[in-house]
Amino acid sequence: MTPAKVMPYDGGCTCRFVRYRMSMKPMFVHCCHCRWCQRETGSSFALNAMIEAERIQLQQGEVEVINTPSNSGKGQKISRCPKCHIAVWSNYAGAGDAVHFVRVGTLDEPDRLPPDIHIFTASKQPWVVLPPNAPAVKEYYDRNDYWPQESLERRATLLAKNLPR
Ligand SMILES: [Zn+2]
Ligand SMILES: [Zn+2]
């Protein structure tokens, strides 16, 4: 933890109706090369920053939550600007509403959050060449093998508070 200077991460949609602020760095950043992310972004991968829902605040506007099919079959709730319909974050069934997967490309300074891991590289588009030492897995991975201890602890705290008993 570096309480001295915590720079927030601001972002929003394209029409600027939705503006949000992440109060601290995310727990982990996925660069997902699965076909679902390729289709949903219309591009080659999705860059998602995982952060506790309570650590992201809407500064302006509101989001519209769209239930969307997902690879797991359990669905994904995508939060979009109700005006320009750009997706700003989503929630997957796994961690539920407690963890937002923020679309890094919607940050004002997306360069601040490069991926911590590349996942589903089995369907990575061949022209996307990863840096030699970047953590990368063919499909998914075990969190304990890749997440920093601090992030594992943040997640454990969160789940203890949010999981239905
Ligand atoms: Zn908008
Ligand atoms: Zn994906």
Side-chain angles (χ1 to χ4, degrees):
M1 293 278 180
T2 49
K5 59 168 193 182
V6 178
M7 292 276 293
Y9 297 78
D10 290 333
C13 67
T14 285
C15 79
R16 298 188 72 84
F17 176 72
V18 171
R19 295 291 300 164
Y20 66 79
R21 169 168 290 175
M22 288 164 48
S23 60
M24 66 187 294
K25 69 174 178 165
M27 294 182 282
F28 212 61
V29 179
H30 279 172
C31 185
C32 185
H33 299 265
C34 82
R35 294 295 185 213
W36 290 75
C37 287
Q38 290 175 1
R39 188 167 51 244
E40 287 160 20
T41 58
S43 184
S44 307
F45 50 77
L47 199 52
N48 285 317
M50 278 171 264
I51 189 159
E52 300 93 329
E54 68 208 25
R55 291 201 157 119
I56 178 163
Q57 253 89 48
L58 273 175
Q59 306 282 96
Q60 185 184 302
E62 59 195 303
V63 293
E64 184 179 356
V65 178
I66 309 289
N67 288 308
T68 309
S70 72
N71 193 22
S72 73
K74 293 176 185 161
Q76 176 189 186
K77 294 195 278 188
I78 303 184
S79 291
R80 295 180 176 277
C81 168
K83 296 179 187 287
C84 71
H85 294 189
I86 296 297
V88 286
W89 61 73
S90 65
N91 300 83
Y92 286 92
D97 293 338
V99 177
H100 286 349
F101 284 63
V102 177
R103 301 293 187 263
V104 171
T106 66
L107 288 168
D108 296 342
E109 300 176 295
D111 298 9
R112 291 174 65 197
L113 294 180
D116 292 311
I117 193 170
H118 293 265
I119 61 173
F120 290 97
T121 60
S123 49
K124 179 177 73 59
Q125 294 186 11
W127 57 267
V128 175
V129 180
L130 305 183
N133 297 318
V137 290
K138 289 241 172 295
E139 291 188 354
Y140 212 69
Y141 66 95
D142 184 338
R143 199 174 293 111
N144 295 306
D145 295 338
Y146 289 93
W147 283 34
Q149 188 58 34
E150 179 196 335
S151 295
L152 288 170
E153 285 166 13
R154 278 168 65 180
R155 185 174 181 278
T157 304
L158 186 66
L159 293 187
K161 270 190 293 190
N162 287 278
L163 269 192
R165 273 157 268 256

